[in-house]
Amino acid sequence: MKKNIFIILSLIINLHSEEITNSTQISISKNWTQEPNGWTYPMNVNVPNIEDSDQLPVCILLHGFGNNGENLISEWQNFFQSHILIAPTGYLNCWNISNEPSEAPDVAMINELVELLQTYHNVDSNRIRILGISNGSALANRVFIENTNLGIDIICTIVSQLSEPQYHNNNFYYPSGETDNSQDYNGYDTVILPIQGRKYLNIGNINDPMIPYYGGYSVGVNFLNSLDAIFIIANSQGYEGDQLHYEGNQIGSSSVYEYSYLSNHVVHLKGNASHSINEIQREYIIDFFSKVNGDINGDNILDILDIITAINFILSNQYNSILDLNSDGIINILDLMQMVDNIIN
């Protein structure tokens, strides 16, 4: 009996002491109608060489149609030098959204991947980020809508906003079966309410030749107007004010304009970089990922000033999602305790 208990304890210790490295092999297999015997997603991993680091945030990179994870790792590893990067490759080099050749259960794969990453000792299990581009952006939106893991704290969608299948009749939806444009709303038939507490950044361009910035039909799906889409996202995260219809806040003298809700918790950037991003937009992404939860005054430091602000919010019975560290929809002593713990550690 003692020997069996020792073996179990050893397994538990080993599970929680394992670290993810560049040589870690992540294997997630799924089966569906196209691959009834199962198919394994290729995974590329990049772990930065940071001395004296304990737990690092993770960014899951989702490629566009026809691309792959390896290319995305190469593109972003010099910009996210403090993040572990994980880049899966989709079936047939695409993600199952609506009219793509793949019917793979990609959201289920992401759900499993996140839960697996949270078991590694050197991963900050509360700072798992999703960054998607084009077709990958549409999958990132599906994750935002459908996933309920509180460890995903940031979603970034590049050159693809919400589509009509994902949001119609004043509700968010997910597909209960296969997706294609022969069905009503491409098969998105089940109402769902996204969880609160996540930061969300969307980037779109008025001259994008593929995804219509102001809404419309393309690549087998109807897209919402980008400014309407970000307002809908903000509402899902607790925003109760008016929609921002003005030109936006110009970033410096650039052609990029910012639409910010919930104290920069939910943001849209409007630009003119075609079906890509420019340097200003990329820098904004990096800064957005570097901000600290609870940093209500935006100085990138969690300290006593933020705690005082949180106390004032509690006393005045106000809500701000930046201060809601445990994502339970209220700001109270539990959030203060989490803030103190984060400062100490």
Side-chain angles (χ1 to χ4, degrees):
M1 175 65 71
K2 289 183 178 180
K3 182 178 180 180
N4 291 336
I5 294 174
F6 177 77
I7 292 174
I8 294 172
L9 289 174
S10 297
L11 289 173
I12 294 173
I13 292 171
N14 289 332
L15 174 65
H16 290 280
S17 62
E18 183 180 1
E19 294 193 349
I20 189 170
T21 68
N22 287 322
S23 60
T24 298
Q25 299 295 314
I26 297 178
S27 179
I28 296 179
S29 298
K30 297 293 178 185
N31 65 287
W32 66 100
T33 53
Q34 293 170 305
E35 294 287 345
N37 296 323
W39 185 80
T40 301
Y41 287 83
M43 295 277 178
N44 289 87
V45 179
N46 181 268
V47 180
N49 183 19
I50 301 178
E51 295 183 1
D52 301 323
S53 63
D54 184 15
Q55 293 182 322
L56 295 173
V58 175
C59 182
I60 299 173
L61 300 171
L62 302 176
H63 61 77
F65 189 95
N67 206 340
N68 59 62
E70 183 178 4
N71 288 341
L72 242 60
I73 289 280
S74 298
E75 179 182 347
W76 287 93
Q77 63 183 356
N78 291 330
F79 300 103
F80 286 139
Q81 296 182 356
S82 63
H83 280 68
I84 296 170
L85 301 182
I86 310 293
T89 296
Y91 184 67
L92 301 176
N93 296 93
C94 65
W95 305 109
N96 174 20
I97 307 301
S98 178
N99 208 36
E100 293 77 14
S102 170
E103 288 292 342
D106 297 321
V107 174
M109 179 274 293
I110 295 294
N111 295 346
E112 184 175 337
L113 175 59
V114 171
E115 291 175 359
L116 175 62
L117 291 171
Q118 289 174 319
T119 66
Y120 290 103
H121 174 71
N122 58 333
V123 166
D124 187 335
S125 61
N126 293 313
R127 289 196 294 165
I128 310 290
R129 287 81 192 269
I130 310 288
L131 183 147
I133 300 171
S134 191
N135 181 223
S137 174
L139 178 57
N141 275 327
R142 284 198 61 180
V143 173
F144 171 80
I145 295 168
E146 301 174 36
N147 178 277
T148 58
N149 191 316
L150 296 177
I152 300 178
D153 68 329
I154 297 177
I155 303 282
C156 178
T157 60
I158 300 174
V159 294
S160 186
Q161 66 270 25
L162 283 178
S163 66
E164 191 177 74
Q166 293 170 330
Y167 185 86
H168 56 272
N169 297 331
N170 298 318
N171 285 300
F172 288 92
Y173 286 80
Y174 72 92
S176 60
E178 294 191 350
T179 60
D180 60 68
N181 57 7
S182 67
Q183 305 179 69
D184 290 342
Y185 297 108
N186 301 75
Y188 285 69
D189 55 3
T190 306
V191 174
I192 188 171
L193 185 64
I195 65 171
Q196 289 193 355
R198 288 172 174 160
K199 295 174 63 179
Y200 181 95
L201 171 63
N202 170 258
I203 297 175
N205 295 305
I206 58 175
N207 61 344
D208 192 324
M210 182 173 295
I211 306 300
Y213 179 86
Y214 294 106
Y217 187 82
S218 182
V219 296
V221 68
N222 275 311
F223 288 91
L224 303 182
N225 182 302
S226 296
L227 298 182
D228 293 339
I230 198 65
F231 179 62
I232 291 167
I233 296 290
N235 285 337
S236 77
Q237 297 303 294
Y239 180 73
E240 297 179 349
D242 296 330
Q243 182 174 354
L244 303 178
H245 289 289
Y246 59 88
E247 182 61 22
N249 296 320
Q250 185 177 15
I251 299 179
S253 58
S254 73
S255 59
V256 179
Y257 292 81
E258 174 195 67
Y259 296 79
S260 172
Y261 293 91
L262 295 171
S263 301
N264 267 43
H265 201 75
V266 175
V267 178
H268 168 68
L269 295 185
K270 178 179 71 176
N272 62 355
S274 189
H275 196 61
S276 183
I277 56 174
N278 59 30
E279 183 178 352
I280 299 296
Q281 291 166 327
R282 191 187 299 272
E283 289 177 354
Y284 194 102
I285 294 171
I286 296 168
D287 182 61
F288 194 80
F289 276 51
S290 69
K291 292 187 182 301
V292 180
N293 285 340
D295 176 27
I296 190 66
N297 60 6
D299 63 359
N300 291 329
I301 301 173
L302 185 61
D303 56 18
I304 188 63
L305 297 178
D306 299 300
I307 291 179
I308 292 173
T309 302
I311 292 173
N312 289 332
F313 268 77
I314 294 172
L315 294 176
S316 59
N317 198 29
Q318 296 183 65
Y319 178 78
N320 189 298
S321 56
I322 293 177
L323 297 173
D324 184 13
L325 271 68
N326 61 1
S327 304
D328 63 355
I330 57 175
I331 304 171
N332 56 23
I333 187 63
L334 297 178
D335 299 297
L336 292 180
M337 292 172 62
Q338 183 65 59
M339 293 174 73
V340 171
D341 182 68
N342 289 349
I343 291 172
I344 293 175
N345 293 296

